Amino acid sequence: MRIIVTNCNTTREMTEDIVRGARAAAGPDTTVTGLTPAWGPASAEGWLDSYLSAAAVLDALRTYDGPAYDAVVLAGFGEHGREGVRELVDVPVVDITEAAAHLACLLGRRYGVVTTLDRSRGQIEDSLETAGVARNCAAVVGTGLGVLDLADDPGRTESAFLTAAERARDAGAEVLVLGCAGMTGLQRAVGDKLGLPVVDGVAAAVKLAESLVNLGLTTSRAGSYGTPLPKTRRWGRPSGEPEDGAQGRRPLDEPEDGAQSRRPPGGLDDRAQGRQT
């Protein structure tokens, strides 16, 4: 079995950390392959980053040309895109937000999410609501650390997590959820100190993906996640279009190393096939 684990940002070091956590959770017969979008935000922190990330992840899966895979894990906590990916690919798609929340509900009546910046709380709350698991969420608490700050000082990260986790516990959480894929591995360091179960979304998603594959289950095509309608879809910026932002404004970020907008190869309306039949 092969599972594709998609990072929601372009930071390859974070992809490597996520993949390590995914492989630690995966069974011996499961191969985990990490996928980093070729474009998008360096870290997803806010609505703009999230929508940009969603399009980049869809594009990365659409243009993937590696070995066939059996499931996709979306490693972006509270990020957009999972519904689109479920339409795009023909294999099970497990989002770490949903996976962690569902497992937390099996361990206690109410759970709390500890995430990075407070600005991410609204997205996470909306994602949990859409997934139907918001009712059991006691609180979503930020640590005040940015996504790319998590690995800089493990001691500081652990301390910030513990402080935020105590607030979630005081709000009624009986189980804690790591609210960022970059926190993978932290559950082992803080679980005993908190006296509460701590669920890592990456590990939870990998195990759920394996279960779906082993049970022969995949996304239903009856209704909401039906096959996308046949039509022309333009991916990326048309050739020759200026790179300035909307209304002629300066772009929010300059492309790295002079990189230009990538127009992926292949047809405009092709779909990722995933597992070969």
Side-chain angles (χ1 to χ4, degrees):
M1 180 190 312
R2 181 182 299 274
I3 297 176
I4 295 290
V5 177
T6 65
N7 187 2
C8 68
N9 62 54
T10 60
T11 302
R12 294 187 180 277
E13 292 80 6
M14 183 164 289
T15 304
E16 293 169 0
D17 288 342
I18 293 168
V19 167
R20 275 192 289 270
R23 287 175 177 163
D29 297 325
T30 298
T31 299
V32 174
T33 300
L35 188 61
T36 307
W39 52 275
S43 61
E45 295 160 312
W47 300 101
L48 174 61
D49 289 344
S50 186
Y51 282 108
L52 181 60
S53 165
V57 168
L58 283 163
D59 190 32
L61 287 166
R62 185 185 72 90
T63 59
Y64 171 82
D65 59 358
Y69 52 92
D70 300 283
V72 172
V73 166
L74 300 176
F77 204 96
E79 306 304 336
H80 294 84
R82 67 186 173 211
E83 294 84 4
V85 175
R86 284 176 178 149
E87 286 191 9
L88 178 70
V89 302
D90 294 320
V91 298
V93 176
V94 184
D95 167 41
I96 66 170
T97 320
E98 285 182 295
H102 280 298
L103 261 63
C105 288
L106 300 178
L107 302 173
R109 183 173 178 273
R110 305 191 78 196
Y111 65 89
V113 178
V114 178
T115 189
T116 51
L117 301 177
D118 281 340
R119 68 179 297 158
S120 300
R121 292 170 56 199
Q123 289 173 229
I124 292 173
E125 290 168 354
D126 286 358
S127 181
L128 296 172
E129 182 70 35
T130 303
V133 288
R135 175 181 176 181
N136 299 84
C137 183
V140 179
V141 183
T143 59
L145 298 175
V147 171
L148 300 183
D149 297 329
L150 295 174
D152 289 345
D153 186 339
R156 179 189 61 179
T157 298
E158 181 178 330
S159 176
F161 183 93
L162 287 169
T163 299
E166 289 171 356
R167 291 169 54 197
R169 182 174 56 190
D170 291 344
E174 301 168 359
V175 182
L176 294 170
V177 168
L178 303 181
C180 176
M183 293 178 173
T184 294
L186 192 59
Q187 74 277 12
R188 293 185 290 274
V190 302
D192 292 341
K193 295 179 181 180
L194 294 168
L196 298 177
V198 180
V199 180
D200 169 27
V202 173
V206 167
K207 300 311 290 185
L208 284 176
E210 287 180 328
S211 296
L212 290 172
V213 173
N214 287 331
L215 291 169
L217 297 172
T218 192
T219 307
S220 171
R221 294 301 181 198
S224 299
Y225 298 130
T227 301
L229 298 175
K231 66 179 72 174
T232 298
R233 292 180 173 87
R234 292 187 177 276
W235 295 83
R237 180 182 292 110
S239 178
E241 183 175 314
E243 293 201 11
D244 288 344
Q247 306 293 327
R249 292 176 295 174
R250 293 174 58 86
L252 291 174
D253 301 283
E254 296 295 333
E256 296 183 5
D257 300 324
Q260 300 297 310
S261 174
R262 183 174 70 98
R263 186 172 185 177
L268 295 174
D269 59 353
D270 54 348
R271 298 176 60 236
Q273 296 301 313
R275 182 171 51 193
Q276 293 177 343
T277 56

PDB file of all heavy atoms in Angstrom, residues 214-248:
ATOM      1  N   ASN A 214      -7.755  -1.103   3.395  1.00  0.00           N
ATOM      2  CA  ASN A 214      -7.892  -2.515   3.735  1.00  0.00           C
ATOM      3  C   ASN A 214      -9.338  -2.986   3.705  1.00  0.00           C
ATOM      4  O   ASN A 214      -9.623  -4.163   3.427  1.00  0.00           O
ATOM      5  CB  ASN A 214      -7.283  -2.782   5.116  1.00  0.00           C
ATOM      6  CG  ASN A 214      -5.769  -2.730   5.098  1.00  0.00           C
ATOM      7  OD1 ASN A 214      -5.142  -3.019   4.080  1.00  0.00           O
ATOM      8  ND2 ASN A 214      -5.161  -2.362   6.221  1.00  0.00           N
ATOM      9  N   LEU A 215     -10.268  -2.077   3.983  1.00  0.00           N
ATOM     10  CA  LEU A 215     -11.688  -2.409   3.948  1.00  0.00           C
ATOM     11  C   LEU A 215     -12.282  -2.288   2.545  1.00  0.00           C
ATOM     12  O   LEU A 215     -13.452  -2.605   2.333  1.00  0.00           O
ATOM     13  CB  LEU A 215     -12.464  -1.512   4.911  1.00  0.00           C
ATOM     14  CG  LEU A 215     -12.211  -1.750   6.404  1.00  0.00           C
ATOM     15  CD1 LEU A 215     -12.829  -0.624   7.230  1.00  0.00           C
ATOM     16  CD2 LEU A 215     -12.774  -3.094   6.833  1.00  0.00           C
ATOM     17  N   GLY A 216     -11.474  -1.833   1.603  1.00  0.00           N
ATOM     18  CA  GLY A 216     -11.958  -1.673   0.233  1.00  0.00           C
ATOM     19  C   GLY A 216     -12.938  -0.526   0.069  1.00  0.00           C
ATOM     20  O   GLY A 216     -13.792  -0.550  -0.819  1.00  0.00           O
ATOM     21  N   LEU A 217     -12.801   0.516   0.905  1.00  0.00           N
ATOM     22  CA  LEU A 217     -13.718   1.655   0.866  1.00  0.00           C
ATOM     23  C   LEU A 217     -13.037   2.880   0.271  1.00  0.00           C
ATOM     24  O   LEU A 217     -11.843   3.102   0.476  1.00  0.00           O
ATOM     25  CB  LEU A 217     -14.206   1.990   2.280  1.00  0.00           C
ATOM     26  CG  LEU A 217     -15.011   0.903   2.988  1.00  0.00           C
ATOM     27  CD1 LEU A 217     -15.265   1.288   4.437  1.00  0.00           C
ATOM     28  CD2 LEU A 217     -16.330   0.658   2.255  1.00  0.00           C
ATOM     29  N   THR A 218     -13.822   3.662  -0.460  1.00  0.00           N
ATOM     30  CA  THR A 218     -13.308   4.917  -0.998  1.00  0.00           C
ATOM     31  C   THR A 218     -14.452   5.919  -1.075  1.00  0.00           C
ATOM     32  O   THR A 218     -15.597   5.615  -0.709  1.00  0.00           O
ATOM     33  CB  THR A 218     -12.657   4.710  -2.378  1.00  0.00           C
ATOM     34  OG1 THR A 218     -11.926   5.898  -2.733  1.00  0.00           O
ATOM     35  CG2 THR A 218     -13.686   4.413  -3.458  1.00  0.00           C
ATOM     36  N   THR A 219     -14.152   7.133  -1.531  1.00  0.00           N
ATOM     37  CA  THR A 219     -15.117   8.219  -1.552  1.00  0.00           C
ATOM     38  C   THR A 219     -16.339   7.883  -2.401  1.00  0.00           C
ATOM     39  O   THR A 219     -16.216   7.414  -3.531  1.00  0.00           O
ATOM     40  CB  THR A 219     -14.458   9.491  -2.110  1.00  0.00           C
ATOM     41  OG1 THR A 219     -13.256   9.759  -1.370  1.00  0.00           O
ATOM     42  CG2 THR A 219     -15.390  10.687  -2.017  1.00  0.00           C
ATOM     43  N   SER A 220     -17.503   8.148  -1.866  1.00  0.00           N
ATOM     44  CA  SER A 220     -18.749   7.931  -2.610  1.00  0.00           C
ATOM     45  C   SER A 220     -18.851   8.933  -3.751  1.00  0.00           C
ATOM     46  O   SER A 220     -18.522  10.121  -3.597  1.00  0.00           O
ATOM     47  CB  SER A 220     -19.946   8.093  -1.673  1.00  0.00           C
ATOM     48  OG  SER A 220     -21.153   8.085  -2.408  1.00  0.00           O
ATOM     49  N   ARG A 221     -19.326   8.455  -4.893  1.00  0.00           N
ATOM     50  CA  ARG A 221     -19.560   9.335  -6.044  1.00  0.00           C
ATOM     51  C   ARG A 221     -21.041   9.691  -6.182  1.00  0.00           C
ATOM     52  O   ARG A 221     -21.435  10.324  -7.153  1.00  0.00           O
ATOM     53  CB  ARG A 221     -19.058   8.661  -7.320  1.00  0.00           C
ATOM     54  CG  ARG A 221     -17.553   8.463  -7.377  1.00  0.00           C
ATOM     55  CD  ARG A 221     -16.807   9.762  -7.268  1.00  0.00           C
ATOM     56  NE  ARG A 221     -15.353   9.599  -7.336  1.00  0.00           N
ATOM     57  CZ  ARG A 221     -14.485  10.512  -6.923  1.00  0.00           C
ATOM     58  NH1 ARG A 221     -14.931  11.635  -6.391  1.00  0.00           N
ATOM     59  NH2 ARG A 221     -13.186  10.307  -7.012  1.00  0.00           N
ATOM     60  N   ALA A 222     -21.837   9.298  -5.209  1.00  0.00           N
ATOM     61  CA  ALA A 222     -23.275   9.583  -5.265  1.00  0.00           C
ATOM     62  C   ALA A 222     -23.555  10.908  -4.580  1.00  0.00           C
ATOM     63  O   ALA A 222     -23.683  10.984  -3.364  1.00  0.00           O
ATOM     64  CB  ALA A 222     -24.055   8.460  -4.584  1.00  0.00           C
ATOM     65  N   GLY A 223     -23.587  11.986  -5.361  1.00  0.00           N
ATOM     66  CA  GLY A 223     -23.931  13.279  -4.786  1.00  0.00           C
ATOM     67  C   GLY A 223     -22.766  14.236  -4.697  1.00  0.00           C
ATOM     68  O   GLY A 223     -22.125  14.572  -5.690  1.00  0.00           O
ATOM     69  N   SER A 224     -22.465  14.678  -3.465  1.00  0.00           N
ATOM     70  CA  SER A 224     -21.545  15.796  -3.245  1.00  0.00           C
ATOM     71  C   SER A 224     -20.178  15.619  -3.888  1.00  0.00           C
ATOM     72  O   SER A 224     -19.604  16.573  -4.413  1.00  0.00           O
ATOM     73  CB  SER A 224     -21.361  16.022  -1.744  1.00  0.00           C
ATOM     74  OG  SER A 224     -22.580  16.338  -1.126  1.00  0.00           O
ATOM     75  N   TYR A 225     -19.623  14.408  -3.815  1.00  0.00           N
ATOM     76  CA  TYR A 225     -18.282  14.176  -4.338  1.00  0.00           C
ATOM     77  C   TYR A 225     -18.319  13.450  -5.675  1.00  0.00           C
ATOM     78  O   TYR A 225     -17.418  12.670  -5.997  1.00  0.00           O
ATOM     79  CB  TYR A 225     -17.453  13.384  -3.332  1.00  0.00           C
ATOM     80  CG  TYR A 225     -17.259  14.103  -2.011  1.00  0.00           C
ATOM     81  CD1 TYR A 225     -17.510  13.463  -0.800  1.00  0.00           C
ATOM     82  CD2 TYR A 225     -16.830  15.422  -1.974  1.00  0.00           C
ATOM     83  CE1 TYR A 225     -17.339  14.117   0.409  1.00  0.00           C
ATOM     84  CE2 TYR A 225     -16.662  16.084  -0.771  1.00  0.00           C
ATOM     85  CZ  TYR A 225     -16.916  15.427   0.417  1.00  0.00           C
ATOM     86  OH  TYR A 225     -16.751  16.080   1.607  1.00  0.00           O
ATOM     87  N   GLY A 226     -19.335  13.722  -6.448  1.00  0.00           N
ATOM     88  CA  GLY A 226     -19.424  13.125  -7.770  1.00  0.00           C
ATOM     89  C   GLY A 226     -18.267  13.558  -8.654  1.00  0.00           C
ATOM     90  O   GLY A 226     -17.593  14.564  -8.398  1.00  0.00           O
ATOM     91  N   THR A 227     -18.035  12.792  -9.707  1.00  0.00           N
ATOM     92  CA  THR A 227     -16.966  13.112 -10.645  1.00  0.00           C
ATOM     93  C   THR A 227     -17.142  14.532 -11.181  1.00  0.00           C
ATOM     94  O   THR A 227     -18.250  14.920 -11.565  1.00  0.00           O
ATOM     95  CB  THR A 227     -16.985  12.114 -11.822  1.00  0.00           C
ATOM     96  OG1 THR A 227     -16.821  10.793 -11.306  1.00  0.00           O
ATOM     97  CG2 THR A 227     -15.869  12.429 -12.811  1.00  0.00           C
ATOM     98  N   PRO A 228     -16.090  15.349 -11.204  1.00  0.00           N
ATOM     99  CA  PRO A 228     -16.207  16.719 -11.712  1.00  0.00           C
ATOM    100  C   PRO A 228     -16.793  16.752 -13.120  1.00  0.00           C
ATOM    101  O   PRO A 228     -16.508  15.881 -13.946  1.00  0.00           O
ATOM    102  CB  PRO A 228     -14.754  17.220 -11.714  1.00  0.00           C
ATOM    103  CG  PRO A 228     -14.078  16.396 -10.666  1.00  0.00           C
ATOM    104  CD  PRO A 228     -14.724  15.045 -10.737  1.00  0.00           C
ATOM    105  N   LEU A 229     -17.611  17.748 -13.376  1.00  0.00           N
ATOM    106  CA  LEU A 229     -18.240  17.876 -14.684  1.00  0.00           C
ATOM    107  C   LEU A 229     -17.175  18.125 -15.753  1.00  0.00           C
ATOM    108  O   LEU A 229     -16.211  18.866 -15.520  1.00  0.00           O
ATOM    109  CB  LEU A 229     -19.245  19.022 -14.677  1.00  0.00           C
ATOM    110  CG  LEU A 229     -20.424  18.867 -13.711  1.00  0.00           C
ATOM    111  CD1 LEU A 229     -21.284  20.128 -13.723  1.00  0.00           C
ATOM    112  CD2 LEU A 229     -21.255  17.647 -14.073  1.00  0.00           C
ATOM    113  N   PRO A 230     -17.330  17.526 -16.920  1.00  0.00           N
ATOM    114  CA  PRO A 230     -16.357  17.766 -17.997  1.00  0.00           C
ATOM    115  C   PRO A 230     -16.444  19.199 -18.502  1.00  0.00           C
ATOM    116  O   PRO A 230     -17.523  19.670 -18.866  1.00  0.00           O
ATOM    117  CB  PRO A 230     -16.777  16.756 -19.074  1.00  0.00           C
ATOM    118  CG  PRO A 230     -18.217  16.481 -18.802  1.00  0.00           C
ATOM    119  CD  PRO A 230     -18.396  16.580 -17.323  1.00  0.00           C
ATOM    120  N   LYS A 231     -15.344  19.880 -18.471  1.00  0.00           N
ATOM    121  CA  LYS A 231     -15.276  21.262 -18.961  1.00  0.00           C
ATOM    122  C   LYS A 231     -13.806  21.655 -19.042  1.00  0.00           C
ATOM    123  O   LYS A 231     -12.927  20.975 -18.508  1.00  0.00           O
ATOM    124  CB  LYS A 231     -16.018  22.210 -18.018  1.00  0.00           C
ATOM    125  CG  LYS A 231     -15.365  22.335 -16.638  1.00  0.00           C
ATOM    126  CD  LYS A 231     -16.101  23.287 -15.726  1.00  0.00           C
ATOM    127  CE  LYS A 231     -17.416  22.702 -15.261  1.00  0.00           C
ATOM    128  NZ  LYS A 231     -18.074  23.560 -14.262  1.00  0.00           N
ATOM    129  N   THR A 232     -13.540  22.771 -19.686  1.00  0.00           N
ATOM    130  CA  THR A 232     -12.183  23.298 -19.721  1.00  0.00           C
ATOM    131  C   THR A 232     -11.877  23.965 -18.397  1.00  0.00           C
ATOM    132  O   THR A 232     -12.669  24.759 -17.893  1.00  0.00           O
ATOM    133  CB  THR A 232     -12.030  24.323 -20.858  1.00  0.00           C
ATOM    134  OG1 THR A 232     -12.260  23.673 -22.108  1.00  0.00           O
ATOM    135  CG2 THR A 232     -10.633  24.934 -20.848  1.00  0.00           C
ATOM    136  N   ARG A 233     -10.729  23.624 -17.829  1.00  0.00           N
ATOM    137  CA  ARG A 233     -10.277  24.251 -16.587  1.00  0.00           C
ATOM    138  C   ARG A 233      -8.860  24.765 -16.801  1.00  0.00           C
ATOM    139  O   ARG A 233      -7.979  23.999 -17.149  1.00  0.00           O
ATOM    140  CB  ARG A 233     -10.310  23.252 -15.429  1.00  0.00           C
ATOM    141  CG  ARG A 233     -11.712  22.839 -15.019  1.00  0.00           C
ATOM    142  CD  ARG A 233     -11.698  21.839 -13.860  1.00  0.00           C
ATOM    143  NE  ARG A 233     -13.045  21.578 -13.385  1.00  0.00           N
ATOM    144  CZ  ARG A 233     -13.851  20.645 -13.891  1.00  0.00           C
ATOM    145  NH1 ARG A 233     -13.416  19.892 -14.892  1.00  0.00           N
ATOM    146  NH2 ARG A 233     -15.070  20.482 -13.407  1.00  0.00           N
ATOM    147  N   ARG A 234      -8.662  26.032 -16.601  1.00  0.00           N
ATOM    148  CA  ARG A 234      -7.336  26.621 -16.760  1.00  0.00           C
ATOM    149  C   ARG A 234      -6.610  26.590 -15.428  1.00  0.00           C
ATOM    150  O   ARG A 234      -7.104  27.109 -14.431  1.00  0.00           O
ATOM    151  CB  ARG A 234      -7.428  28.064 -17.281  1.00  0.00           C
ATOM    152  CG  ARG A 234      -7.950  28.156 -18.707  1.00  0.00           C
ATOM    153  CD  ARG A 234      -7.857  29.579 -19.239  1.00  0.00           C
ATOM    154  NE  ARG A 234      -8.293  29.650 -20.618  1.00  0.00           N
ATOM    155  CZ  ARG A 234      -7.528  29.389 -21.662  1.00  0.00           C
ATOM    156  NH1 ARG A 234      -6.262  29.034 -21.465  1.00  0.00           N
ATOM    157  NH2 ARG A 234      -7.995  29.469 -22.883  1.00  0.00           N
ATOM    158  N   TRP A 235      -5.434  25.970 -15.418  1.00  0.00           N
ATOM    159  CA  TRP A 235      -4.638  25.857 -14.203  1.00  0.00           C
ATOM    160  C   TRP A 235      -3.451  26.804 -14.293  1.00  0.00           C
ATOM    161  O   TRP A 235      -2.683  26.766 -15.235  1.00  0.00           O
ATOM    162  CB  TRP A 235      -4.132  24.428 -14.020  1.00  0.00           C
ATOM    163  CG  TRP A 235      -5.236  23.452 -13.786  1.00  0.00           C
ATOM    164  CD1 TRP A 235      -6.017  22.854 -14.724  1.00  0.00           C
ATOM    165  CD2 TRP A 235      -5.697  22.965 -12.531  1.00  0.00           C
ATOM    166  NE1 TRP A 235      -6.926  22.015 -14.134  1.00  0.00           N
ATOM    167  CE2 TRP A 235      -6.752  22.057 -12.780  1.00  0.00           C
ATOM    168  CE3 TRP A 235      -5.303  23.191 -11.201  1.00  0.00           C
ATOM    169  CZ2 TRP A 235      -7.422  21.395 -11.759  1.00  0.00           C
ATOM    170  CZ3 TRP A 235      -5.962  22.523 -10.193  1.00  0.00           C
ATOM    171  CH2 TRP A 235      -7.017  21.640 -10.469  1.00  0.00           C
ATOM    172  N   GLY A 236      -3.305  27.681 -13.316  1.00  0.00           N
ATOM    173  CA  GLY A 236      -2.176  28.594 -13.300  1.00  0.00           C
ATOM    174  C   GLY A 236      -2.445  29.832 -14.119  1.00  0.00           C
ATOM    175  O   GLY A 236      -3.489  30.012 -14.745  1.00  0.00           O
ATOM    176  N   ARG A 237      -1.474  30.724 -14.157  1.00  0.00           N
ATOM    177  CA  ARG A 237      -1.594  31.993 -14.865  1.00  0.00           C
ATOM    178  C   ARG A 237      -1.345  31.781 -16.355  1.00  0.00           C
ATOM    179  O   ARG A 237      -0.368  31.159 -16.753  1.00  0.00           O
ATOM    180  CB  ARG A 237      -0.562  32.978 -14.304  1.00  0.00           C
ATOM    181  CG  ARG A 237      -0.601  34.352 -14.967  1.00  0.00           C
ATOM    182  CD  ARG A 237       0.478  35.263 -14.400  1.00  0.00           C
ATOM    183  NE  ARG A 237       0.198  35.613 -13.033  1.00  0.00           N
ATOM    184  CZ  ARG A 237       0.899  35.168 -12.003  1.00  0.00           C
ATOM    185  NH1 ARG A 237       1.910  34.344 -12.195  1.00  0.00           N
ATOM    186  NH2 ARG A 237       0.601  35.538 -10.785  1.00  0.00           N
ATOM    187  N   PRO A 238      -2.256  32.277 -17.214  1.00  0.00           N
ATOM    188  CA  PRO A 238      -2.029  32.162 -18.658  1.00  0.00           C
ATOM    189  C   PRO A 238      -0.700  32.782 -19.051  1.00  0.00           C
ATOM    190  O   PRO A 238      -0.263  33.766 -18.466  1.00  0.00           O
ATOM    191  CB  PRO A 238      -3.205  32.933 -19.272  1.00  0.00           C
ATOM    192  CG  PRO A 238      -4.272  32.877 -18.225  1.00  0.00           C
ATOM    193  CD  PRO A 238      -3.549  32.926 -16.910  1.00  0.00           C
ATOM    194  N   SER A 239      -0.053  32.213 -20.039  1.00  0.00           N
ATOM    195  CA  SER A 239       1.239  32.697 -20.494  1.00  0.00           C
ATOM    196  C   SER A 239       1.161  34.160 -20.903  1.00  0.00           C
ATOM    197  O   SER A 239       0.254  34.575 -21.618  1.00  0.00           O
ATOM    198  CB  SER A 239       1.725  31.851 -21.681  1.00  0.00           C
ATOM    199  OG  SER A 239       2.944  32.332 -22.172  1.00  0.00           O
ATOM    200  N   GLY A 240       2.126  34.951 -20.415  1.00  0.00           N
ATOM    201  CA  GLY A 240       2.193  36.358 -20.788  1.00  0.00           C
ATOM    202  C   GLY A 240       1.478  37.286 -19.845  1.00  0.00           C
ATOM    203  O   GLY A 240       1.623  38.506 -19.939  1.00  0.00           O
ATOM    204  N   GLU A 241       0.688  36.757 -18.920  1.00  0.00           N
ATOM    205  CA  GLU A 241      -0.021  37.626 -17.989  1.00  0.00           C
ATOM    206  C   GLU A 241       0.957  38.188 -16.976  1.00  0.00           C
ATOM    207  O   GLU A 241       1.817  37.474 -16.457  1.00  0.00           O
ATOM    208  CB  GLU A 241      -1.118  36.833 -17.274  1.00  0.00           C
ATOM    209  CG  GLU A 241      -1.965  37.696 -16.340  1.00  0.00           C
ATOM    210  CD  GLU A 241      -3.107  36.892 -15.755  1.00  0.00           C
ATOM    211  OE1 GLU A 241      -3.772  36.185 -16.528  1.00  0.00           O
ATOM    212  OE2 GLU A 241      -3.323  36.978 -14.532  1.00  0.00           O
ATOM    213  N   PRO A 242       0.871  39.496 -16.632  1.00  0.00           N
ATOM    214  CA  PRO A 242       1.812  40.088 -15.684  1.00  0.00           C
ATOM    215  C   PRO A 242       1.663  39.468 -14.309  1.00  0.00           C
ATOM    216  O   PRO A 242       0.608  38.984 -13.926  1.00  0.00           O
ATOM    217  CB  PRO A 242       1.426  41.571 -15.672  1.00  0.00           C
ATOM    218  CG  PRO A 242      -0.005  41.595 -16.126  1.00  0.00           C
ATOM    219  CD  PRO A 242      -0.106  40.478 -17.130  1.00  0.00           C
ATOM    220  N   GLU A 243       2.759  39.501 -13.538  1.00  0.00           N
ATOM    221  CA  GLU A 243       2.762  38.871 -12.227  1.00  0.00           C
ATOM    222  C   GLU A 243       2.380  39.835 -11.118  1.00  0.00           C
ATOM    223  O   GLU A 243       2.410  39.473  -9.943  1.00  0.00           O
ATOM    224  CB  GLU A 243       4.142  38.270 -11.933  1.00  0.00           C
ATOM    225  CG  GLU A 243       4.469  37.106 -12.835  1.00  0.00           C
ATOM    226  CD  GLU A 243       5.546  36.223 -12.238  1.00  0.00           C
ATOM    227  OE1 GLU A 243       5.876  36.407 -11.054  1.00  0.00           O
ATOM    228  OE2 GLU A 243       6.049  35.362 -12.946  1.00  0.00           O
ATOM    229  N   ASP A 244       2.050  41.081 -11.432  1.00  0.00           N
ATOM    230  CA  ASP A 244       1.644  42.018 -10.393  1.00  0.00           C
ATOM    231  C   ASP A 244       0.359  41.548  -9.747  1.00  0.00           C
ATOM    232  O   ASP A 244      -0.423  40.794 -10.313  1.00  0.00           O
ATOM    233  CB  ASP A 244       1.439  43.421 -10.975  1.00  0.00           C
ATOM    234  CG  ASP A 244       2.748  44.075 -11.347  1.00  0.00           C
ATOM    235  OD1 ASP A 244       3.798  43.604 -10.897  1.00  0.00           O
ATOM    236  OD2 ASP A 244       2.708  45.054 -12.099  1.00  0.00           O
ATOM    237  N   GLY A 245       0.107  42.028  -8.526  1.00  0.00           N
ATOM    238  CA  GLY A 245      -1.106  41.665  -7.817  1.00  0.00           C
ATOM    239  C   GLY A 245      -2.330  42.276  -8.450  1.00  0.00           C
ATOM    240  O   GLY A 245      -2.277  43.002  -9.447  1.00  0.00           O
ATOM    241  N   ALA A 246      -3.492  42.012  -7.847  1.00  0.00           N
ATOM    242  CA  ALA A 246      -4.758  42.522  -8.363  1.00  0.00           C
ATOM    243  C   ALA A 246      -4.751  44.045  -8.401  1.00  0.00           C
ATOM    244  O   ALA A 246      -4.098  44.708  -7.599  1.00  0.00           O
ATOM    245  CB  ALA A 246      -5.897  42.028  -7.473  1.00  0.00           C
ATOM    246  N   GLN A 247      -5.504  44.607  -9.362  1.00  0.00           N
ATOM    247  CA  GLN A 247      -5.667  46.054  -9.500  1.00  0.00           C
ATOM    248  C   GLN A 247      -4.336  46.766  -9.736  1.00  0.00           C
ATOM    249  O   GLN A 247      -4.197  47.942  -9.428  1.00  0.00           O
ATOM    250  CB  GLN A 247      -6.334  46.642  -8.233  1.00  0.00           C
ATOM    251  CG  GLN A 247      -7.648  45.974  -7.852  1.00  0.00           C
ATOM    252  CD  GLN A 247      -8.728  46.232  -8.882  1.00  0.00           C
ATOM    253  OE1 GLN A 247      -8.759  47.291  -9.507  1.00  0.00           O
ATOM    254  NE2 GLN A 247      -9.622  45.283  -9.065  1.00  0.00           N
ATOM    255  N   GLY A 248      -3.334  46.035 -10.246  1.00  0.00           N
ATOM    256  CA  GLY A 248      -2.063  46.662 -10.526  1.00  0.00           C
ATOM    257  C   GLY A 248      -1.188  46.870  -9.309  1.00  0.00           C
ATOM    258  O   GLY A 248      -0.151  47.506  -9.382  1.00  0.00           O
TER     259      GLY A 248
END
